[in-house]
Structure formats: C-alpha cells, structure tokens
Amino acid sequence: MPHPTEWSRGQAILANATVALLACVLVVVGMEIAAGVWLRFVASRQDFVQFASVRQLRARGFTPRFVAHRYLGHYPNPGFETEQNRHNSLGYRGDEIEVPKPDTEFRIVCLGGSTTYTSSVGNYRHSYPDRLQRYLRREGFTNVRVVNAGVNS
C-alpha cells in the first residue's frame, strides 16, 4: 500500500470518506447506547412509558397504550387499563359498549385524532366525548351513549 503522501486524489477522497462514515457510525452507536442506558436506569416512569419500545414495555410488565396496526399504523390497545385511563374490549377509550346495540339506545360516535382521544388528559372521564355523554344524560337523554373512537396522532 502506498504511503499517504503518495496517494492519488481519488484514494485520499475515499480514505477521508471512509473515516467520516466510520465516525458517523460510531457516533450513532454511542448515542443509541447512551439512550438505552438512560431509558433503563435514569428515565422516570412516565418517560419510560413514553419512549420505550413495545418489547421493553412488556418486559417490565407494562401494557402498551397503543398497538401496531397494518393499515392505520397504530390504534388503542383493547383492554388497556391504568388507574384513570382505560380502553374497552373494542379498543375505544372508555367503558365497555354493549354489542349489538340495544334498540332503545342512541349512539354518537366521536371520530378523530388526539383531540378526540384527548391524549393530553390522563383520565378518560375528562375527555370531551365522556363529558358530552354526562351532559346529555343530565339534560334527560338517558338513552344516549357517546363513543370515543379517537386515535392519538
């Protein structure tokens, strides 16, 4: 192999590009290792739940709030439940829904993204679909059920 001072211009460019690529790979690998260490040993419970992979969540006994979906990307995990948040067996945020619908029941289905799901609110009872249902029932419409079919993002 020729001495670096004897390299052609093309060989010098190739050597520099190889060194730069190797440096970038090392930086990315280092950042990935640092993020893993932070997530495992330093991150708060809330940060862990927000940033961990589904595999990492399940390994620690957490049920993920959303699961992968072939066509939608993700959707609310059926049966997910915490102290103040829950998804019913159909994956909708809130209480169980009777299927098939009783003939005497009128249903309003709220569709949308994080605003409908009300992702920034931890308690599903404070989401606008649940509040709408309580309001309508207070006003005398006791046969109304409002379904929160929102999906975060």
Side-chain angles (χ1 to χ4, degrees):
M1 180 170 218
H3 189 271
T5 57
E6 298 172 8
W7 284 359
S8 70
R9 181 166 168 79
Q11 288 175 321
I13 290 173
L14 181 61
N16 288 337
T18 303
V19 169
L21 180 64
L22 183 60
C24 289
V25 167
L26 289 175
V27 166
V28 169
V29 167
M31 290 172 63
E32 184 68 27
I33 290 170
V37 168
W38 173 81
L39 189 62
R40 185 169 188 175
F41 298 110
V42 180
S44 67
R45 182 180 193 278
Q46 181 180 355
D47 285 340
F48 179 81
V49 170
Q50 181 175 357
F51 297 115
S53 68
V54 172
R55 183 181 52 79
Q56 291 168 324
L57 287 169
R58 288 189 177 137
R60 286 212 190 162
F62 290 98
T63 302
R65 187 167 57 152
F66 298 98
V67 291
H69 188 275
R70 177 178 294 194
Y71 304 112
L72 303 175
H74 69 277
Y75 72 103
N77 189 4
F80 169 79
E81 191 166 346
T82 63
E83 295 150 4
Q84 299 179 333
N85 192 12
R86 67 174 311 203
H87 299 162
N88 61 33
S89 59
L90 299 172
Y92 300 130
R93 191 175 192 195
D95 296 323
E96 286 298 324
I97 301 168
E98 192 175 339
V99 177
K101 180 183 83 63
D103 291 337
T104 59
E105 186 176 82
F106 182 77
R107 289 192 179 161
I108 299 171
V109 179
C110 298
L111 300 172
S114 56
T115 306
T116 300
Y117 182 86
T118 321
S119 56
S120 62
V121 176
N123 188 337
Y124 76 97
R125 295 260 181 226
H126 296 169
S127 67
Y128 88 77
D130 200 77
R131 287 177 172 230
L132 175 61
Q133 178 176 294
R134 286 197 314 268
Y135 171 79
L136 291 170
R137 289 185 176 175
R138 272 195 318 266
E139 294 297 314
F141 301 100
T142 56
N143 63 339
V144 170
R145 173 169 307 273
V146 179
V147 177
N148 185 344
V151 177
N152 193 19
S153 66

